[in-house]
Amino acid sequence: MRIDHQLVEQWIEPNSRVLDLGCGDGTLLEHLQKHLGVTGYGLEIDEYKINQAIAKGLNIIEQNLNDGLARFADNSFDTVVMARALQAVKAPDQLLIDMLRVAKEGIVTFPNFAYWQNRMYLGIKGMMPISDTLPHEWYNTPNIHLCTFKDFEQLCDKNNIRILDTVAISDKPNPKLPPVLLNHMVKRIPNLLADVAVYHIAKY
């Protein structure tokens, strides 16, 4: 699994109720069901990925995240997960609020636009960055609200959302640096050195 998916698992309680937004082919939800015994649903808009997830025996609902979560009652779930989809929705602030209406806690991961390689790419080439975490061209990208660690934390503060924990990660660590040193550096300057942000959030 992707490294952010692996980190999500640490904040999910065994046998809890989980809603996975933008679940893709269901890789994360399938893993959580097998290893933690969770129950729940995945929301996805891509028909091909939906068919892949259903083939795994998962409960999948075809839905655009821009339509919100009105179909779910308050506190329907223990945790809502949204992995690398926040930047692709029209109103990320409203979706975050809705996540914490239908669940006690939320887990959000997204590409960090302030990552040093993105800054260098933009600074040297004068063009929108293309990388493993941001693989699309500017004209065909699904990402419409790119943000940084600081942007997200400011958004949480404005909307009375409590940050329980944060993990800053690098999808492709530099092989020339010892892992211990790299992890220490990323933790000290996440907005510059991490290309993926992982947040565990809840209501106050």
Side-chain angles (χ1 to χ4, degrees), residues 3 21 34 50 52 103 110 143 145 151 160 163 174-175 191:
I3 188 169
L21 306 182
K34 286 182 177 178
I50 290 172
Q52 287 181 305
F110 57 87
N143 302 321
H145 288 300
D151 288 324
N160 205 31
I163 296 174
N174 188 328
N191 209 43

Side-chain angles (χ1 to χ4, degrees), residues 53 56 113 121 130 201:
K56 296 174 182 176
F113 195 65
Y121 194 109
I130 298 175
I201 58 175

Side-chain angles (χ1 to χ4, degrees), residues 17 72-78 99-104 203:
R17 300 162 298 166
F72 300 107
D74 295 1
N75 300 312
S76 299
F77 301 92
D78 296 299
M99 285 173 63
L100 296 178
R101 176 187 63 78
V102 303
K104 300 172 185 175
K203 292 171 284 194

Side-chain angles (χ1 to χ4, degrees), residues 6-204:
Q6 295 172 38
L7 289 167
V8 164
E9 184 177 0
Q10 68 182 314
W11 296 320
I12 302 288
E13 292 293 329
N15 305 309
S16 60
R17 300 162 298 166
V18 174
L19 179 63
D20 187 358
L21 306 182
C23 67
D25 65 1
T27 297
L28 174 61
L29 192 56
E30 180 186 36
H31 178 82
L32 295 176
Q33 286 189 357
K34 286 182 177 178
H35 294 273
L36 295 179
V38 307
T39 57
Y41 296 89
L43 266 57
E44 178 56 50
I45 193 172
D46 186 303
E47 188 174 339
Y48 177 71
K49 292 178 180 178
I50 290 172
N51 290 333
Q52 287 181 305
I54 290 175
K56 296 174 182 176
L58 304 174
N59 297 317
I60 306 298
I61 298 172
E62 183 175 358
Q63 181 178 324
N64 190 323
L65 295 184
N66 290 319
D67 295 334
L69 305 177
R71 69 167 67 215
F72 300 107
D74 295 1
N75 300 312
S76 299
F77 301 92
D78 296 299
T79 306
V80 177
V81 178
M82 182 164 52
R84 304 198 197 187
L86 179 71
Q87 73 282 354
V89 298
K90 291 181 180 178
D93 54 338
Q94 294 304 310
L95 188 55
L96 284 173
I97 292 169
D98 219 9
M99 285 173 63
L100 296 178
R101 176 187 63 78
V102 303
K104 300 172 185 175
E105 298 179 355
I107 301 172
V108 180
T109 82
F110 57 87
N112 171 35
F113 195 65
Y115 181 51
W116 72 270
Q117 288 188 4
N118 294 337
R119 300 186 193 201
M120 183 174 290
Y121 194 109
L122 187 59
I124 294 175
K125 294 191 174 184
M127 300 171 67
M128 288 296 289
I130 298 175
S131 65
D132 290 331
T133 51
L134 297 170
H136 303 279
E137 299 281 357
W138 68 269
Y139 53 83
N140 64 10
T141 179
N143 302 321
I144 57 175
H145 288 300
L146 292 166
C147 67
T148 71
F149 281 81
K150 291 183 178 180
D151 288 324
F152 184 80
E153 290 171 8
Q154 185 180 67
L155 179 64
C156 288
D157 185 57
K158 285 182 177 179
N159 288 280
N160 205 31
I161 295 172
R162 183 159 52 111
I163 296 174
L164 302 175
D165 204 352
T166 310
V167 180
I169 57 177
S170 178
D171 250 359
K172 287 194 172 181
N174 188 328
K176 296 180 181 179
L177 291 175
V180 174
L181 176 60
L182 179 63
N183 290 338
H184 176 72
M185 292 168 61
V186 170
K187 286 179 182 178
R188 286 184 61 88
I189 327 173
N191 209 43
L192 181 66
L193 298 181
D195 60 344
V196 178
V198 184
Y199 280 88
H200 186 195
I201 58 175
K203 292 171 284 194
Y204 272 106

